[in-house]
Structure formats: structure tokens, C-alpha cells
Amino acid sequence: MLMLIALAPALFWGATGIVTTKAGGKAIQGTLGMAYGSVLLGLGTLFFFVIPHAGLAYAFNPRIWLVGIFSGLFWAVGSVGQFESFKKIGVSIGNPISTAGQIITNALMAAIVLGEWTTLNMWTFGVISIAMVTVGAIFTAVTDKKDQSATKIPADKFRQGMYAIIISTVGFMFYFVFPNLLNKIGFISNAVHSTPNGSGLYYMTAIIAPQAVGQLIGALLIITFFVKEPNLIFDKYTWRNVVTGIVWAIGNIFMFIAAGNPHIGQAVATTLSQCGVIVGTFGGIFILSEKKTSRQMVYVTIGSILIVIGSILISNLSSLHW
């Protein structure tokens, strides 16, 4: 059951790029629409789960809200960068490259900074797992020089897409790690972080609502002061992307429940969540009609197999305490 929870974000997050592309609009509209959807689901989680189970004092703990808001701000930066890359180089290419960056940074941050990998065997199999998932993700983005009519992306667009992915990767890295990092340095006490019964369920669900508020604040700041198109705040494409936000937010809830559980942990949860690249890649090909040559399809298939094998390996890291 725990692994199913950890794999759920892969399905929902993998579908996010497809849903936002279908919804249309600019990258910032995808981000803002997602923030609206996240707020709706975040408030639902707060009032229908956290308050009834953990109580008002816990649900509105000021430290949890501060951590959540900052985590949400980091997400806003990561989301704008990722959606911008999708617009520039496509979902079937941008999603795998973005995934590879997130896998490396999130898993290693969790392993090194949060100290989740404690034995040589965990490190050995962990690095092998990350390498397999990363190579698999890169394989799914291979281009075919022999048939440029199907795969050619202008150099300036590809460069812009890569810059967007770098910014996105940094934003998502801090978004993922920040809630557990603040526990690691003592800002969030172990008593607050581990309830109930050491599972971390209340902390990781309580943080969803403030994260959504941070996401909304970040998206509004970006669209107003950086993109400078406040007229898009209530545009129809922004509202259409609320569906994107709800899809993403469901995956987010499962992600943080898994990350907060000591039997899974941040490194395993974030890596498994990135299996969504398979959903995103094949969805981009078959649903969005992004063209692939026969050679590319071979790489996509091999890459997907590597991702699955690597994910199976990393999902069993918790048993390698020898």
C-alpha cells in the first residue's frame, strides 16, 4: 500500500503537462491556474482531514504555515520554468529532461542533506537507481537527426527551453526538500513532524494548504511584476488550467504523505514520483500528437523500461540496512 501511495504522484503529475497543453494559454497561466486548483484542494484537505484529525492548533501551527508558504513560492518558480520549457521544446522532450534534473537534485539532496541513506549498500543501489531512471528519462527525449522534419527544434527555442528547465529544477528542488529540511535543522520539531505514531501524516497533509497559498502568491507576483501581464489573472485560459491544478494537487498530496513516512522517505518518494515521465512522454505522443520517428520510439521504449527497473530498485532501498 505504501508503494502505491508513492507511485500515485507519477500518474497525476505525468498527466499535468498533457492537461495544461490541452487547456492552452501561456506558461504563467498554467502556473496560476494550477495554483487556483491547488488552493481549492488544499483548503479541502485542511478542513476535511487535518482539522478533524489533528485539531485546530496543529492545523494552524504558524511554523508549519511559514514552511509551507515558502515551499509553495519555490514551486511557483519551478512550475513557470517547467511550463515554459514545454511551450518551447514540447512535453515529450521537456518532461524527460526536467525529470532527470529533478531526480538527481531531489534524491541526492535527500540522501546527503537529510541523511536518509545510511549504509554503503543504500548508497550503491541508490546511485544505480538514480542513474537508471535518469538515463531512461534522457532516452525518452532523444532526437533523430536523420528525420529533422519530425523532430527539429530551432536552436534558440531549444536554448530557451533548457534555461527554463534549469530554473525549474532549482525551484522544484527546494519545494520538495524544504519541509523536511526545516525539520532536519530543528525549525520544525520532531514531535510536530512525526505525528501521528511516527508516520508524519499530519505534518505532510497540514502543509498542503499553506503550500497552495505560497503557490498562489508566487504565481501572482510573477505574473504581475515579472511577466507584467496582470490581465491574464482572470483570463479564460487561466481558469481552464484550474483542472490542471486539481490533477497536480492530488498527486502532491500523495507525494508529501509518502515523503513524510519514514518507511519511504524523501529520496525514494521523489524518485518514484518522477515515473510520471512515462505518462507524460507517451501522452505527448499519443494524445498531443507530438511526432516521433521509429528510432525515437525505440529509445522511448528502452528509456521507459530503465525507469521502471530503476524505480523498483529505489523502492526497496529501505530494506538495505546492511
Side-chain angles (χ1 to χ4, degrees):
M1 178 59 73
L2 289 178
M3 285 301 114
L4 289 177
I5 292 174
L7 283 168
L11 175 61
F12 290 101
W13 286 355
T16 299
I18 300 168
V19 176
T20 190
T21 302
K22 283 288 189 181
K26 298 183 178 181
I28 185 60
Q29 289 177 286
T31 298
L32 187 57
M34 283 182 69
Y36 289 157
S38 296
V39 168
L40 289 175
L41 206 59
L43 292 176
T45 304
L46 180 70
F47 287 106
F48 293 103
F49 180 79
V50 181
I51 292 176
H53 290 84
L56 275 171
Y58 192 95
F60 291 99
N61 182 310
R63 294 201 173 198
I64 292 178
W65 274 78
L66 188 62
V67 171
I69 287 172
F70 271 96
S71 176
L73 290 172
F74 289 130
W75 172 88
V77 173
S79 180
V80 170
Q82 188 178 63
F83 284 163
E84 185 65 23
S85 74
F86 291 165
K87 304 294 183 184
K88 297 295 183 183
I89 60 179
V91 175
S92 63
I93 293 179
N95 200 357
I97 298 175
S98 175
T99 296
Q102 290 179 57
I103 289 169
I104 295 171
T105 55
N106 291 327
L108 291 182
M109 279 287 287
I112 297 170
V113 178
L114 301 182
E116 292 184 355
W117 295 354
T118 55
T119 68
L120 178 60
N121 280 290
M122 293 181 79
W123 271 96
T124 300
F125 284 96
V127 170
I128 292 172
S129 302
I130 291 172
M132 292 185 74
V133 177
T134 302
V135 171
I138 293 172
F139 270 25
T140 62
V142 167
T143 58
D144 195 338
K145 296 180 180 179
K146 293 181 179 179
D147 188 1
Q148 294 187 353
S149 62
T151 62
K152 182 66 173 178
I153 298 173
D156 59 331
K157 277 198 171 185
F158 188 81
R159 184 170 59 252
Q160 292 167 8
M162 291 305 298
Y163 287 151
I165 285 176
I166 291 172
I167 294 172
S168 170
T169 300
V170 174
F172 281 141
M173 176 185 72
F174 282 106
Y175 152 73
F176 277 125
V177 174
F178 201 68
N180 282 331
L181 177 62
L182 269 288
N183 166 245
K184 184 72 174 180
I185 65 175
F187 183 78
I188 298 294
S189 69
N190 288 331
V192 170
H193 182 267
S194 62
T195 53
N197 305 318
S199 68
L201 178 62
Y202 291 169
Y203 176 63
M204 286 306 187
T205 49
I207 212 165
I208 298 297
Q211 268 185 337
V213 172
Q215 291 166 359
L216 182 57
I217 292 172
L220 289 172
L221 289 174
I222 290 170
I223 200 171
T224 303
F225 297 106
F226 293 93
V227 179
K228 297 183 178 179
E229 293 186 83
N231 58 297
L232 299 179
I233 292 175
F234 299 110
D235 184 81
K236 68 175 182 178
Y237 290 109
T238 303
W239 291 117
R240 287 171 65 172
N241 272 287
V242 170
V243 178
T244 311
I246 293 174
V247 171
W248 178 88
I250 293 172
N252 189 53
I253 292 172
F254 283 112
M255 164 64 206
F256 277 94
I257 290 174
N261 191 301
H263 297 294
I264 301 175
Q266 184 92 39
V268 174
T270 53
T271 302
L272 288 177
S273 71
Q274 297 308 317
C275 288
V277 67
I278 298 175
V279 178
T281 300
F282 282 99
I285 294 168
F286 295 111
I287 299 176
L288 302 179
S289 300
E290 295 180 354
K291 295 180 179 179
K292 294 288 183 182
T293 65
S294 57
R295 174 176 178 269
Q296 286 178 292
M297 287 305 298
V298 170
Y299 275 99
V300 166
T301 303
I302 295 173
S304 298
I305 293 171
L306 287 173
I307 290 170
V308 170
I309 295 174
S311 299
I312 292 172
L313 284 176
I314 203 166
S315 67
N316 288 287
L317 280 184
S318 59
S319 63
L320 297 176
H321 294 293
W322 47 272

